[in-house]
């Protein structure tokens, strides 16, 4: 099917911060083969950006190039004994995919229920929640190389996955367009309920032997209560990453701030809860102009009232500066800025 550009399109409904900027050109991608068409039209020779649901993007100005909205669909799977390989089109809504897997009896993905966005964006920052990361279930993906025009296969080990990071966000930033992802899931495996508030909520519901469906429901309910719904208040989830600091830096920090919320990592580093740092600087529930800090989770910045991307950016810069002054820790933005 031929792919045609729309000109001067508002991106307000294509980003969950609801920032009202325009794009010069806008394409809806429904088949991987259309990428070859765009390549032949030299679209990738000038500025472009692929997007899914726009739930991890902050636009700070009009986009003077081509936005390619990925809407590629399709799911298939292959069972191999106690494992199943599920392949999903990059434009599928992530949560729809999670529920497809749960309803088919596939497990391993349930802790990541209700993360906004698309399947194709999930490897970019190695999405994660409640103790599961994408890298735990990612088998491989197919991605279009916008420099050479070739489709390439990336195995798990090729992606340099780490905490909220991958090769697609670093070395190959903006170069590849993921068209499909294959996940390796289990058939009726044990669930992981050790993280955050899951266990507490299961007990409250009287569930002793939780199924993957129970876990997905509990996670979804916790998320709905704690996080702002982007359909009513613009946001992009956690605006900052939780900082990882060395054991030496941690020892200095905890001497001055014994209450600091921290988690030891396998490599000896310490993960510090960024929400706690921001709260200690007095920002939780506060605002700067039309940009605010969510009262239930200080990691989340929100668009209170027709904020521009610059309003959100300025608030984030002020928070970074205050956290650095108080704790000597440099917060890093998780959201992609354009
Ligand atoms: P977009 O925002 O459209 O794009 C994000 C980046 O990925 C951009 O750089 C874009 O160019 C690139 N990209 C998108 N699609 C492709 C593709 N097909 N090929 C190549 N590059 C691509 N994240 C978590 O990890 N865990 C959470 O628990 C979580 N909770 C959230 C809660 C809320 C309320 C919100 C609003 C966001 C949350 N996020 C979370 C962030 C977000 O959901 C994820 O980053 C998600 O993967 C973004 O998907 P998207 O389709 O919206 O990507
Ligand atoms: P929370 O449960 O209040 O915990 C605060 C932070 O502590 C989390 O960010 C989490 O780090 C860490 N944490 C909690 N329990 C942990 C454990 N047992 N071991 C190691 N680290 C632990 O967090 P929340 O804000 O309600 O979010 C719950 C989950 O959803 C988290 O996994 C979070 O990452 C995810 N989430 C992500 C986004 C996003 O946009 N990226 C938005 C909302 C929620 P981790 O972040 O490393 O897990």
């Amino acid at each position: 099917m031929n792919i045609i550009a729309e000109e001067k399109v508002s991106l307000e409904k294509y980003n969950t911060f609801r920032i009202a900027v325009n794009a010069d050109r806008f394409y809806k991608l429904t088949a991987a083969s259309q990428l070859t068409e765009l390549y032949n039209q030299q679209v990738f020779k000038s500025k472009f950006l692929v997007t899914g649901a726009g739930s991890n993007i902050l636009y700070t100005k009009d986009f003077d190039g081509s936005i390619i909205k990925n809407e590629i669909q399709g799911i298939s799977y292959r069972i191999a004994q106690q494992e199943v390989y599920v392949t999903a089109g990059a434009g599928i809504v992530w949560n729809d995919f999670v529920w497809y897997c749960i309803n088919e009896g596939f497990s391993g993905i349930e802790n990541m229920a209700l993360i906004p966005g698309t399947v194709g964006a999930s490897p970019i920052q190695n999405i994660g929640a409640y103790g599961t990361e994408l890298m735990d279930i990612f088998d491989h993906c197919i991605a279009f190389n916008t420099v050479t025009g070739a489709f390439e296969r990336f195995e798990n080990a090729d992606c340099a996955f780490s905490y909220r990071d991958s090769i697609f966000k670093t070395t190959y930033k903006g170069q590849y367009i993921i068209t499909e992802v294959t996940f390796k899931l289990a058939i009726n495996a044990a669930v992981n309920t050790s993280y955050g508030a899951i266990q507490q909520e299961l007990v409250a519901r009287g569930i002793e032997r939780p199924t993957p469906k129970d876990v997905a429901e509990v996670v979804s309910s916790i998320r709905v209560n704690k996080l702002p719904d982007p359909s009513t208040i613009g946001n992009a989830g956690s605006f900052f990453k939780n900082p990882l600091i060395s054991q030496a830096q941690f020892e200095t920090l905890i001497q001055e701030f014994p209450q600091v919320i921290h988690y030891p990592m396998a490599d000896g580093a310490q993960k510090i809860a960024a929400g706690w740092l921001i709260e200690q600087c007095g920002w939780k529930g506060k605002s700067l102009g039309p940009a605010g800090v969510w009262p239930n989770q200080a990691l989340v910045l929100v668009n209170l009232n027709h904020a521009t991307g610059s309003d959100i950016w300025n608030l984030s810069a002020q928070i970074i500066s205050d956290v650095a002054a108080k704790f000597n820790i440099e917060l890093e933005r998780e959201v992609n800025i354009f």
Side-chain angles (χ1 to χ4, degrees):
M1 200 193 304
N2 284 352
I3 182 162
I4 297 164
E6 291 172 60
E7 309 278 333
K8 289 281 169 230
V9 171
S10 168
L11 297 179
E12 189 170 359
K13 66 176 179 192
Y14 298 115
N15 72 96
T16 60
F17 256 126
R18 304 286 168 238
I19 304 295
V21 292
N22 293 320
D24 282 357
R25 288 170 301 285
F26 186 88
Y27 296 89
K28 279 189 181 165
L29 184 76
T30 54
S33 59
Q34 292 172 326
L35 289 170
T36 307
E37 229 182 286
L38 293 179
Y39 183 83
N40 292 338
Q41 289 170 19
Q42 316 257 317
V43 167
F44 303 122
K45 293 272 190 217
S46 50
K47 189 172 166 182
F48 71 93
L49 174 72
V50 61
T51 183
S55 63
N56 202 19
I57 284 180
L58 177 69
Y59 291 111
T60 55
K61 51 184 180 296
D62 284 339
F63 193 83
D64 56 343
S66 302
I67 294 281
I68 298 159
K69 182 170 185 311
N70 198 320
E71 296 193 344
I72 298 173
Q73 302 295 304
I75 302 185
S76 61
Y77 63 81
R78 175 174 64 82
I79 291 176
Q81 295 174 343
Q82 282 310 297
E83 285 165 347
V84 56
Y85 294 84
V86 192
T87 299
I92 293 175
V93 171
W94 174 261
N95 193 47
D96 293 350
F97 177 64
V98 170
W99 280 99
Y100 171 89
C101 294
I102 290 168
N103 290 332
E104 291 292 327
F106 308 152
S107 51
I109 200 169
E110 55 279 355
N111 293 38
M112 293 198 283
L114 214 62
I115 297 181
T118 52
V119 164
S122 64
I124 307 299
Q125 72 158 9
N126 179 28
I127 61 167
Y130 294 97
T132 303
E133 288 180 291
L134 190 274
M135 62 187 284
D136 303 330
I137 56 168
F138 177 97
D139 187 69
H140 70 271
C141 71
I142 305 295
F144 182 79
N145 185 337
T146 58
V147 174
T148 64
F151 286 92
E152 296 175 22
R153 178 174 161 133
F154 287 80
E155 304 297 336
N156 191 315
D158 301 330
C159 297
F161 288 126
S162 64
Y163 178 62
R164 300 292 187 269
D165 215 352
S166 77
I167 202 159
F168 302 109
K169 216 178 164 179
T170 52
T171 315
Y172 294 147
K173 190 171 169 60
Q175 185 177 336
Y176 285 88
I177 297 178
I178 295 173
T179 56
E180 65 176 46
V181 183
T182 297
F183 301 85
K184 185 177 169 185
L185 298 173
I187 296 177
N188 294 321
V191 292
N192 164 18
T193 61
S194 62
Y195 206 91
I198 299 182
Q199 190 58 42
Q200 208 180 318
E201 183 65 21
L202 286 167
V203 170
R205 293 179 183 213
I207 299 170
E208 283 176 11
R209 286 198 192 82
T211 62
K213 184 163 180 274
D214 292 328
V215 173
E217 279 171 356
V218 159
V219 164
S220 302
S221 147
I222 299 169
R223 294 182 70 101
V224 165
N225 288 322
K226 189 161 187 186
L227 296 168
D229 176 355
S231 68
T232 54
I233 182 155
N235 76 93
S238 303
F239 198 88
F240 305 99
K241 293 185 188 181
N242 290 316
L244 302 175
I245 62 172
S246 68
Q247 185 62 25
Q249 190 181 356
F250 174 69
E251 274 157 24
T252 311
L253 181 72
I254 199 156
Q255 266 184 14
E256 199 178 344
F257 302 99
Q259 313 296 330
V260 63
I261 298 178
H262 61 97
Y263 299 92
M265 305 294 283
D267 62 0
Q270 290 278 347
K271 182 176 69 180
I272 309 296
W276 184 87
L277 300 175
I278 297 167
E279 193 178 341
Q280 295 303 305
C281 291
W283 276 109
K284 194 173 186 181
K286 296 286 166 48
S287 56
L288 185 64
V293 180
W294 190 240
N296 293 345
Q297 172 48 290
L299 254 188
V300 179
L301 303 191
V302 294
N303 178 349
L304 292 171
N305 186 16
H306 304 289
T308 62
S310 300
D311 292 328
I312 307 280
W313 172 270
N314 291 342
L315 172 59
S316 72
Q318 191 60 57
I319 289 172
I320 289 173
S321 159
D322 287 359
V323 167
K326 191 172 172 85
F327 297 106
N328 193 26
I329 290 178
E330 191 75 17
L331 287 185
E332 196 186 326
R333 294 176 181 89
E334 178 180 301
V335 171
N336 299 279
I337 314 289
F338 294 100

